[in-house]
Amino acid sequence: MKRLHWISPLLAWGVVVLAAVFIPWGTHLILSVGRTEDELGLKVGWIRKIEEIERYAWRLGCSRLDAVEAAKPGDVETESNLHERYQQQLEAVRTSATSDTIVQEGLSKLALLVARMEDLHARGNEPRTERSEIAPSPAEWLSATNAATTEAQVLEAKLRKDLKRISQALSSDWLQINLMAILSCALAVTLALVLFAYDRSLKDRKQAEEEERLLRAELAHVGRLSVVGEMGTNLAHELNQPLSAIHSYLAGCVRRLQQEGGDHADLIQAMHAAAEEARRASSIIQRMREFVRRSKPLTSTVDLNELVREMLPLLSGELKEQRVQPELRLAKALEPVLADRVQIGQVLVNLIRNSLEAMSHIPTSERKLIIRTSMAADHAVEVAVEDTGGGLSPDVLQNLFQPFHTTKPKGMGMGLAISRTIIDAHGGWIRADPGPGRGAIFHFQIPCLQRVASS
Amino acid sequence: MIARSTVFIVDDDPGVRKSLTWLLESVRLQVETYESAQSFLEACTPERPGCLLLDLRMPGMGGLELQQALSAQGIPLPVIFVTGHGDVPAAVRAFKAGAFDFLEKPFSDHELLERIHEAIALDTDARAVRAQKAAVREQVESLTPRQRDILDLVVSGATSKDIAQHLGLSLSTVEGHRIRILRRMGAEGVADLVRVVTRAEIGPRSNGPGARVGPKAAG
């Protein structure tokens, strides 16, 4: 039943460890993906711009080559527009990639090459003067254009290589993120399932325990009813005592009043005594009713000395019938136990009646009943009921606490079985031993409140 | 006799003892209570008249045992058993042992008082009879052996002549003894003498001469 208790700390630790691992890992991954994506965007932007620069260089080169071949001036307006855009792109890449040395180097090389082209262009645009001979030749244009575009392509290729690396890292990050998400989902589901199962098993166990408790209480109740049934005539005798006393008191009062010779104070005293007897009768009924009441099991702190004294009046009829005056040897300092008062009272009644029954065949002078309470080792209270009856043969001793095992002509043989069930449920034990001379000692122990609290 | 009759109550329950005392004193009965059979057995004497109200079931010595002990000690109190739970075997045993009555609680006060008065009356009568018997016995004891012989023969119905012949005495001697016997016993005549002696249940001495004379119907 208690095997599942290790689960709840384990679950708690599992949750803590998962949180400690998954939260930093996840945060790291998400941040890194963000950074990588930014970088990727930046690099893609650079590539676009460098492509534009390349296009500019190419177009400038082509347009000049065409112009040179056609021996006419190029489209100045378009060219100046292109130049402007080229400057913008160059500037944009330069400022945004200040920390990237490869790009910076590439750019400065490119810028030099383009500057050379523009220089060629500027030379070509001058009026055909003495410098016309130094007007750039198509071959010059071609090589300048090729150099610029090649450089742009080299830079672009470098960037694309970077881009590839970055996107690879990015996809690996995403892979990790997905993996983590799947893993944590799976773990969460498992955790939830385990928790659910644990909760269910707890509930089932609680329910089973509750059912068992109620069943035991019901059994004990039936046991008490049968005990009271067996004690019926003796209980009636107990009630008859105060009732006949009341009758005698009142009849005496009536006679005195009829004779008009009664002393007032005496009459009052007798009536008081009658009232006291009525109270005694009602307390007997009260105690009996408490004993047979169908009650839910109710644990409270119980002083066993007090309980012994409370149960004896219920049995006084039987004690008298057997001419037995019980000898009480109650421990002075007895720790309270946590118990169901009525049920432990029932065990006491069972044991005492058992002893009386055992002594019914021996002469009255030899009958002796000792009820003892004491503190036992390991914070338990022991109660012993000792008699001088016929004792217990080993055969009887073996089956003593089995249900329906009886040596009595009347009785169901449930008393001791029920007693053991009750004591077991209280976490104690009950046992029978041979008495010091003849007879038997029945004793039981129940753990004290202190032991119950500390465990 | 001179001592007043007492109702002895033996019950282990103080409530029952006190309430019965209260009830019985209301009809001016003298009551003494004892909480156990032992304490009563130690305190009681055969001389005290009255009756015993006895609880059947008590721890230690019970009512039936006390009854037996009392009859063993020759204490002739009539016993009224009082019980809250009367079972038939116990009642049978009580009556066999000579109980006066067996009352089961709850009983009415009338019934109880009636039975107590009857028991006391019985006890008083029995004591009177016993006292009378004792007196007769004492008178018989005070006779001389010769006179005793003659008394036995007179009671067994022998005439003076038979007696004289039987004892080898003269008729006048026998007559003289008869007159002295009558005077000593306070009897008015032979018939009265025979009645008194018979009621006192004084048999003829087994070794006396009367044993040899066949018994005849006494006057």
Side-chain angles (χ1 to χ4, degrees):
Chain A
M1 282 289 214
K2 288 174 181 164
R3 256 175 296 155
L4 281 173
H5 275 314
W6 53 266
I7 275 197
S8 55
L10 196 76
L11 279 176
W13 276 110
V15 169
V16 167
V17 167
L18 283 182
V21 170
F22 276 86
I23 291 173
W25 185 25
T27 322
H28 165 77
L29 278 177
I30 287 164
L31 286 178
S32 133
V33 162
R35 274 199 309 272
T36 315
E37 278 189 335
D38 284 351
E39 201 182 347
L40 196 75
L42 207 63
K43 295 217 161 149
V44 169
W46 294 346
I47 289 171
R48 294 256 158 73
K49 291 186 171 78
I50 285 162
E51 275 173 351
E52 290 218 21
I53 293 170
E54 185 193 347
R55 200 152 45 240
Y56 163 71
W58 177 249
R59 281 175 73 174
L60 187 66
C62 287
S63 120
R64 272 300 135 185
L65 272 174
D66 290 349
V68 168
E69 276 171 6
K72 59 175 176 121
D75 184 351
V76 179
E77 200 187 335
T78 315
E79 283 172 2
S80 74
N81 275 347
L82 282 170
H83 176 70
E84 211 169 296
R85 279 197 61 197
Y86 153 72
Q87 287 292 353
Q88 280 172 7
Q89 307 293 0
L90 188 67
E91 211 46 44
V93 181
R94 221 177 234 157
T95 50
S96 64
T98 47
S99 61
D100 195 328
T101 48
I102 294 172
V103 178
Q104 287 292 351
E105 271 172 28
L107 274 183
S108 41
K109 267 189 191 166
L110 190 60
L112 276 174
L113 289 168
V114 174
R116 219 180 93 211
M117 281 178 74
E118 284 181 331
D119 191 38
L120 286 176
H121 179 246
R123 255 169 56 197
N125 275 357
E126 281 171 9
R128 290 183 179 272
T129 56
E130 65 280 7
R131 280 188 68 182
S132 62
E133 70 275 353
I134 57 163
S137 66
E140 262 180 306
W141 269 110
L142 197 60
S143 84
T145 308
N146 278 343
T149 50
T150 312
E151 186 56 39
Q153 275 165 5
V154 167
L155 186 58
E156 193 190 326
K158 274 182 187 164
L159 278 172
R160 281 194 186 280
K161 207 172 146 191
D162 256 9
L163 201 65
K164 200 174 168 189
R165 180 185 53 78
I166 288 167
S167 63
Q168 264 172 3
L170 191 66
S171 66
S172 131
D173 277 2
W174 272 117
L175 194 71
Q176 281 187 53
I177 284 174
N178 287 340
L179 205 71
M180 192 183 79
I182 290 165
L183 208 66
S184 54
C185 276
L187 278 171
V189 168
T190 318
L191 216 63
L193 278 175
V194 168
L195 268 176
F196 178 71
Y198 178 55
D199 185 52
R200 269 298 288 275
S201 80
L202 263 185
K203 271 187 193 156
D204 285 356
R205 206 174 74 203
K206 267 191 186 157
Q207 199 181 345
E209 273 176 8
E210 184 61 26
E211 276 170 12
E212 197 187 317
R213 234 158 66 93
L214 289 177
L215 207 66
R216 208 163 43 226
E218 190 60 33
L219 178 69
H221 178 238
V222 170
R224 287 198 298 280
L225 283 182
S226 90
V227 165
V228 168
E230 286 168 28
M231 298 199 300
T233 49
N234 286 311
L235 287 169
H237 174 262
E238 279 315 290
L239 268 181
N240 255 334
Q241 297 286 87
L243 290 179
S244 73
I246 293 168
H247 179 88
S248 299
Y249 277 126
L250 295 183
C253 287
V254 169
R255 279 169 192 278
R256 279 174 170 81
L257 287 169
Q258 279 169 345
Q259 295 158 9
E260 292 178 12
D263 179 2
H264 211 78
D266 274 358
L267 285 170
I268 289 172
Q269 211 177 350
M271 283 176 173
H272 271 309
E276 176 56 29
E277 291 297 324
R279 197 202 52 74
R280 185 176 137 205
S282 81
S283 96
I284 291 170
I285 292 176
Q286 174 82 20
R287 203 161 279 159
M288 200 164 74
R289 208 176 54 184
E290 216 153 82
F291 190 71
V292 296
R293 196 180 53 199
R294 177 198 302 271
S295 58
K296 278 193 163 184
L298 181 75
T299 41
S300 57
T301 52
V302 178
D303 177 358
L304 285 175
N305 283 347
E306 198 182 298
L307 193 64
V308 168
R309 289 197 204 96
E310 259 176 45
M311 284 300 136
L312 283 177
L314 272 183
L315 291 160
S316 69
E318 309 231 317
L319 289 166
K320 265 191 219 170
E321 189 178 23
Q322 300 293 332
R323 312 272 159 67
V324 174
Q325 182 84 58
E327 184 183 335
L328 299 186
R329 295 187 191 164
L330 305 180
K332 283 213 177 75
L334 206 61
E335 281 181 41
V337 297
L338 197 64
D340 185 316
R341 198 179 189 83
V342 177
Q343 291 191 359
I344 299 300
Q346 178 180 6
V347 173
L348 276 170
V349 167
N350 282 342
L351 294 187
I352 294 172
R353 291 189 71 233
N354 232 36
S355 292
L356 289 180
E357 178 79 32
M359 293 191 292
S360 61
H361 307 298
I362 63 165
T364 48
S365 56
E366 289 171 27
R367 293 176 192 172
K368 207 168 168 189
L369 178 71
I370 302 171
I371 302 167
R372 208 182 286 124
T373 59
S374 56
M375 286 304 301
D378 196 21
H379 292 294
V381 174
E382 178 164 330
V383 179
V385 178
E386 187 181 328
D387 64 55
T388 53
L392 303 158
S393 66
D395 177 43
V396 172
L397 207 55
Q398 206 169 21
N399 297 313
L400 202 56
F401 293 99
Q402 298 302 317
F404 303 113
H405 175 84
T406 180
T407 54
K408 303 176 197 171
K410 51 186 181 182
M412 285 207 299
M414 288 303 286
L416 286 178
I418 290 174
S419 297
R420 183 157 82 170
T421 313
I422 291 172
I423 297 297
D424 282 353
H426 281 79
W429 52 255
I430 183 166
R431 195 173 78 207
D433 287 327
R438 54 193 297 183
I441 308 176
F442 281 82
H443 31 188
F444 65 84
Q445 280 192 11
I446 312 180
C448 286
L449 192 57
Q450 199 184 333
R451 192 172 104 192
V452 174
S454 64
S455 66
Chain B
M1 312 246 293
I2 310 152
R4 232 183 114 190
S5 291
T6 307
V7 181
F8 300 97
I9 298 174
V10 180
D11 197 312
D12 65 307
D13 190 321
V16 171
R17 287 201 304 271
K18 281 184 202 154
S19 63
L20 282 176
T21 307
W22 171 255
L23 174 63
L24 299 187
E25 283 177 350
S26 75
V27 291
R28 299 197 171 75
L29 282 165
Q30 187 173 313
V31 181
E32 265 179 41
T33 60
Y34 296 89
E35 61 168 16
S36 71
Q38 284 91 342
S39 62
F40 177 71
L41 209 52
E42 283 160 22
C44 71
T45 52
E47 295 85 47
R48 300 194 61 185
C51 73
L52 176 58
L53 221 57
L54 183 53
D55 187 15
L56 189 66
R57 295 198 304 186
M58 287 178 287
M61 188 188 260
L64 288 171
E65 289 161 51
L66 176 60
Q67 188 192 17
Q68 281 163 13
L70 288 177
S71 64
Q73 291 191 11
I75 293 170
L77 280 178
V79 179
I80 300 173
F81 277 101
V82 171
T83 176
H85 162 48
D87 54 294
V88 176
V92 169
R93 277 180 62 196
F95 279 119
K96 270 190 180 166
F100 180 76
D101 206 349
F102 193 93
L103 293 180
E104 201 173 329
K105 286 178 198 164
F107 43 75
S108 80
D109 50 324
H110 297 283
E111 192 186 357
L112 177 72
L113 293 174
E114 200 177 292
R115 301 306 285 153
I116 286 175
H117 282 129
E118 283 172 20
I120 288 176
L122 179 83
D123 184 55
T124 311
D125 287 352
R127 274 172 203 278
V129 168
R130 276 200 302 275
Q132 206 184 348
K133 280 183 190 171
V136 171
R137 238 179 240 134
E138 207 174 299
Q139 287 162 346
V140 171
E141 297 297 322
S142 71
L143 297 176
T144 63
R146 177 60 77 194
Q147 285 169 347
R148 184 70 205 269
D149 288 344
I150 292 167
L151 175 68
D152 286 346
L153 289 168
V154 169
V155 170
S156 64
T159 61
S160 296
K161 213 168 155 187
D162 290 340
I163 296 168
Q165 198 177 353
H166 188 76
L167 295 178
L169 296 171
S170 72
L171 189 62
S172 62
T173 312
V174 171
E175 288 290 347
H177 276 302
R178 262 177 68 157
I179 289 160
R180 275 194 290 278
I181 290 168
L182 284 175
R183 201 178 294 147
R184 181 66 63 85
M185 299 292 291
E188 286 161 14
V190 173
D192 192 32
L193 177 73
V194 169
R195 191 175 52 81
V196 165
V197 171
T198 315
R199 199 175 283 170
E201 290 162 2
I202 299 165
R205 292 170 304 166
S206 56
N207 57 349
R212 272 174 273 133
V213 180
K216 288 172 189 169

